[in-house]
Amino acid sequence: MDFLPELASTLLAQMQKPTLAFLIGGMLLAAMSSRLDLPEPVYKLVVMLLLLKVGMSAGISVREAELVALAVPGALAVIAGISIVLLGRMTLVRLRGVSEMDGMATAGLFGAVSASTLAAGMAMLDDVGIAYEGFIGALYPFMDVAALLTAIIMARMAAERRAARGDVAQGGVVAIVGGSGGGQGPIMDWGMIRSILMDTIRSPAISALLLGLGLGLFARPDSVFEGFYEPLFRGLLSILMLMMGFEAWNRLGELRRVAHVYVFYGLFAPLVHGLIGLGMGLIAHELTGFSLGGVVLMAVMAASSSDISGPPTLRGALPEANPSSYIATSTGLGTPVAILSIPLWIALAEAFIGG
Amino acid sequence: MDFLPELASTLLAQMQKPTLAFLIGGMLLAAMSSRLDLPEPVYKLVVMLLLLKVGMSAGISVREAELVALAVPGALAVIAGISIVLLGRMTLVRLRGVSEMDGMATAGLFGAVSASTLAAGMAMLDDVGIAYEGFIGALYPFMDVAALLTAIIMARMAAERRAARGDVAQGGVVAIVGGSGGGQGPIMDWGMIRSILMDTIRSPAISALLLGLGLGLFARPDSVFEGFYEPLFRGLLSILMLMMGFEAWNRLGELRRVAHVYVFYGLFAPLVHGLIGLGMGLIAHELTGFSLGGVVLMAVMAASSSDISGPPTLRGALPEANPSSYIATSTGLGTPVAILSIPLWIALAEAFIGG
Amino acid sequence: MDFLPELASTLLAQMQKPTLAFLIGGMLLAAMSSRLDLPEPVYKLVVMLLLLKVGMSAGISVREAELVALAVPGALAVIAGISIVLLGRMTLVRLRGVSEMDGMATAGLFGAVSASTLAAGMAMLDDVGIAYEGFIGALYPFMDVAALLTAIIMARMAAERRAARGDVAQGGVVAIVGGSGGGQGPIMDWGMIRSILMDTIRSPAISALLLGLGLGLFARPDSVFEGFYEPLFRGLLSILMLMMGFEAWNRLGELRRVAHVYVFYGLFAPLVHGLIGLGMGLIAHELTGFSLGGVVLMAVMAASSSDISGPPTLRGALPEANPSSYIATSTGLGTPVAILSIPLWIALAEAFIGG
């Protein structure tokens, strides 16, 4: 294997690039208990501006993109999102100390996409001069919504099955009292899917991204995009990385209170998921000539776990799940591992495609 | 009428320009109940930076402007502000379901000026390459303060007249108990005017604008103006438009609880007021060669209704008025109508002056 | 004395430069009771970005600096910080109406460094084209930490001595009850120094500065530094100056409630301390060719009093001291005097070195 030394040097150089350096800096500050804090409003503003930028840039590109060049990676992004959740269902949920609800919520969060990780991936590709399709941002909601919907629907179905079994055991009390929600009728319906979908779309992150997409597609925001959103992108990302490193370190402590398997999942799932995304990207590369940078970003999206839009959606849809288990696993381990592994996907994609 | 097709094409092109596109985007997000929210501190910062920019740019221009070129549009801005309030007194206040206090507060708010609408007008003129006097920002306080003062003084005078009539009917009880505030003595005094004036000047919006004006006039902020305030202007305006569209849609619901006439007033008053401003601008054009862009911005200021400085001033000065009627009418209808009608004033001014 | 007219003209020109103009503007707004307010989150963000910028620029420079060129001004910065506190111990603390705790806390705050004043000094030197060593930002923590440590240790030692005397007078009650904290054993220990040092390093200001230093030294943040932090520096500084002028004026009122000597100290100590810093700078100039701009910034740092990192550190370490006396003296008088006296240090350094 020829690419190992190359990988090592890429990794070393990337650690010094602003994106990773600010993330690591934030973790170090948190580790030494710094009182530096960036208030919530700043965080919300930075995330909104980054997502508007990613969305607008995708929207402007989609205007000129051919449908098929977009549809193939879009479908593969959906498959990646669903596969990651199914994989979590077959592994994490079966382990000792993991309740079905908590496990499915965690798998959903790891299938969903982190806007900041995607933005970090874009910045790193720009740094090393690797091109990618402008419409990549438009793939984000495909993978994100597919994963969240799959996880929530599977968790709800399992809960209904359990309730139905309970009904029988307890003489069908719930079925009599509960009415339509009980054991009778279809286990899940379109109304529920629609409500989860709308809830995901209404989340701040997906809203901002879709707004950016819409503006890029139907309006002509090019002047403000080039004069404001594009030049501020790197700087805002550096602030966000700092905050995420800080937050990640502080969340690590919470992991002590949950089952150990979450730590293993948080450390290794992003790598496995990134490989799934890399595979989907390579298929798209074969089918439609999807770019090297596009393959890398598909891996980055798959490796990432949602830190903005996912948690409130899951909290709303699966109130029985314990947020401190899935949020701590995702924010404390999943996100930093996903960001730190971006150079790995660059090296792997180059090894496979030979860029 | 030759300019109707031209107007339609101008309107269509403007809807796609960043300013209107972000406003409409914000309304769409609110309409689909998005949870995207931009916290108050961000809103305050953005408004302050925009007003400092408008003020500084006016101050820098006033330094070189001739007094007469400034005095004529200034006086006409005062006349426009007073006329709009008097017109409201003769129409809105006479209608059924409108109390005198609520009606005068609403008329005052529609006579006052919206900084964001003015900024949007400037950005749109820049977009189409129409020049305007640099000192326009300095006209803002003339129209704004004139309208607020007129509305508050008329409302207070009416309240005192009512109280005086009540005194007679109830045997002069208030006159005996109330002392100086009762029926005797002058119905209003300079102390009151001074206190309203100071309260308006202390409002965040007018403060920021006057500070910018002062900096532009007496200091040399040109380097920071050109390196920071000027380049960020468009981007910050896009954020503000997004927030205002969001806020406007959410305020619309409140209008259901007030009399229907407010809806008509909110929809059509901006257009009538814009025509008054356009007329004043055309007079200034005849008298002192006021520019085409200046005429447009005079109409934009007159059409706009105050959303930042006005409400707290009115709440302080007219505590009896119901804020949900005047704020909902202004923020929910007046401001979006005023911003969306900017292309109309451009088209009309071009038709009259033949730019 | 030939340089007085030059000083007057420098002063006049500086008052119109953005940095001082925004400071004075903020004071004027506060004086007219403006309701303009910039919320805490904005303040925190602006300060963090400025300190990251100052730190990164220092870190990038330290990479290439020779050790001796850095060590000499560093040692002199430590001496300046300690001297200022000792001077305060010998003057302020001896005056009537000043408790030992309050006096030492005030002296510590005036020995510590204000990041915003340092940033203002850098901006003013850039304005007039005077060069300074890039590593200046790295001197900040030397002077700041030295002053805070000296003040806190001296105040704690005095308190222990007092307690010990009290023990004797009251028959050693405290020594019996208090255990290790009583009269026995060393009056202060390394654990205490370490804890004060860590507390200072954890303060938001020093954290952000050290992070910037570390990023500049060990990472390659040059792209985001040149594309974001550097271009935004002047604009963010103008916002900060505005807020500090506002805050300074509002704090002045609190001074009425403390002893009059604080007013004299707040007005004149920055000038005396600036001279101490100027002297240290001139020594460094003789020894290692420290630049004219470096000498000015050494005076600026010494003249400044801490407004961000100092107060919470002192509040934590000296809970017996009255914050309204030391914070009002520093923020209400010390900081504006220090910023307004920057042109004085430029004129004096030029007179001495003949730049």
Side-chain angles (χ1 to χ4, degrees), chain C residues 61-108:
Chain C
S61 302
V62 167
R63 260 196 252 154
E64 284 123 37
E66 284 174 57
L67 197 65
V68 87
L70 192 68
V72 170
L76 290 163
V78 169
I79 296 174
I82 295 175
S83 308
I84 290 167
V85 176
L86 294 178
L87 187 67
R89 173 78 192 74
M90 290 186 301
T91 56
L92 179 67
V93 173
R94 302 242 165 123
L95 293 169
R96 223 157 29 117
V98 178
S99 84
E100 187 154 27
M101 270 295 163
D102 294 0
M104 285 315 297
T106 309

Side-chain angles (χ1 to χ4, degrees), chain B residues 120-206:
Chain B
M122 288 174 168
M124 287 192 197
L125 287 177
D126 293 343
D127 274 341
V128 293
I130 296 180
Y132 51 87
E133 280 76 9
F135 62 71
I136 293 285
L139 302 180
Y140 175 126
F142 285 92
M143 196 186 292
D144 194 68
V145 172
L148 288 174
L149 267 180
T150 308
I152 294 169
I153 290 171
M154 289 185 74
R156 285 262 74 88
M157 280 169 66
E160 303 229 0
R161 268 198 305 275
R162 246 194 337 270
R165 278 199 303 272
D167 292 353
V168 176
Q170 296 166 26
V173 180
V174 174
I176 294 163
V177 178
S180 69
Q184 275 86 316
I187 274 177
M188 55 150 309
D189 52 285
W190 284 106
M192 186 184 132
I193 294 184
R194 202 182 153 277
S195 117
I196 298 169
L197 198 66
M198 285 310 295
D199 195 63
T200 309
I201 287 174
R202 280 172 190 148
S203 75
I206 301 280

Side-chain angles (χ1 to χ4, degrees), chain C residues 206-217:
Chain C
I206 301 281
S207 284
L209 191 83
L210 290 179
L211 174 63
L213 259 171
L215 288 170
L217 264 175

